[in-house]
Amino acid sequence: MNNVILIGMPGCGKSTLGVLLAKSLGMTFLDTDLVIQDREHALLSQLIRTHGSDGFLALEESICAQLDVNNSVIATGGSVVYEPNAMAHLSQLGTVVYLKLGYKALARRLGNLEKRGVVLRPGQTLRMLYDERVPLYEQYAHITVDCGGQDIEHTLRRVRRALEKRDNLTK
């Protein structure tokens, strides 16, 4: 399948970049967080409060493991990397791109994590979450693009170049 799957921490730009990338490549854009909210008729933060972290992760896995799309840029929720079945399916759907952002830049970008709908365990800090997830993003990524210290247009160009390079290598 010729999809591009964007993974990374909340606030790294998956949704914003995803729309621009889809437009520039002539693809459809899909945000799995919005699919979850639409299906469940609730905001992510409400779903996490109602179902707890584990319940929300099971819901996210169910939706992401069943995606059946083609010619799409898919922005995933930051927690999808906790679910091996979902990540195995997404990896089969296309090229997984990790949008890497350093901790300090990420901390500046993020506001209230609970309102944003970020899966956090009791007592878990942003730093702890970051340290836990980065190895998972690195594990699942086909391509890693550092998006720190640059504007969205620069990041878009870097992602496109990385995708073109990968396409040339796999032909």
Side-chain angles (χ1 to χ4, degrees):
M1 299 257 180
N2 64 331
N3 298 297
V4 178
I5 299 91
L6 303 176
I7 63 172
M9 286 293 290
C12 73
K14 297 180 300 285
S15 296
T16 304
L17 181 77
V19 170
L20 297 172
L21 184 61
K23 284 183 177 182
S24 75
L25 296 173
M27 300 172 87
T28 301
F29 175 70
L30 177 75
D31 186 319
T32 62
D33 284 348
L34 296 179
V35 172
I36 293 168
Q37 287 183 163
D38 184 58
R39 184 178 123 179
E40 297 299 312
H41 307 292
L43 297 174
L44 298 180
S45 57
Q46 294 168 323
L47 293 169
I48 293 167
R49 276 195 307 276
T50 303
H51 301 289
S53 294
D54 291 340
F56 176 80
L57 291 174
L59 177 62
E60 183 176 46
E61 177 183 29
S62 169
I63 288 172
C64 291
Q66 295 176 28
L67 285 178
D68 185 18
V69 296
N70 195 23
N71 200 42
S72 297
V73 174
I74 304 165
T76 63
S79 56
V80 73
V81 292
Y82 290 130
E83 303 302 331
N85 292 333
M87 288 308 303
H89 178 69
L90 291 170
S91 292
Q92 290 175 351
L93 283 181
T95 302
V96 178
V97 179
Y98 167 34
L99 299 179
K100 182 178 179 176
L101 188 62
Y103 176 76
K104 287 181 182 179
L106 183 70
R108 282 192 303 270
R109 284 190 190 184
L110 289 175
N112 184 315
L113 296 180
E114 287 181 21
K115 285 184 182 176
R116 195 174 177 105
V118 175
V119 175
L120 287 170
R121 290 186 305 281
Q124 190 175 34
T125 64
L126 177 59
R127 182 76 220 197
M128 293 163 69
L129 184 72
Y130 182 86
D131 291 344
E132 180 178 86
R133 287 188 183 179
V134 165
L136 295 171
Y137 296 134
E138 291 171 345
Q139 171 188 336
Y140 289 114
H142 298 125
I143 295 171
T144 298
V145 175
D146 190 334
C147 50
Q150 58 196 1
D151 63 24
I152 195 76
E153 290 297 326
H154 188 117
T155 302
L156 175 63
R157 286 191 298 275
R158 292 186 74 193
V159 169
R160 287 196 53 153
R161 277 195 303 270
L163 289 168
E164 290 166 4
K165 183 178 180 183
R166 181 176 167 84
D167 284 347
N168 288 334
L169 292 175
T170 58
K171 287 185 182 176

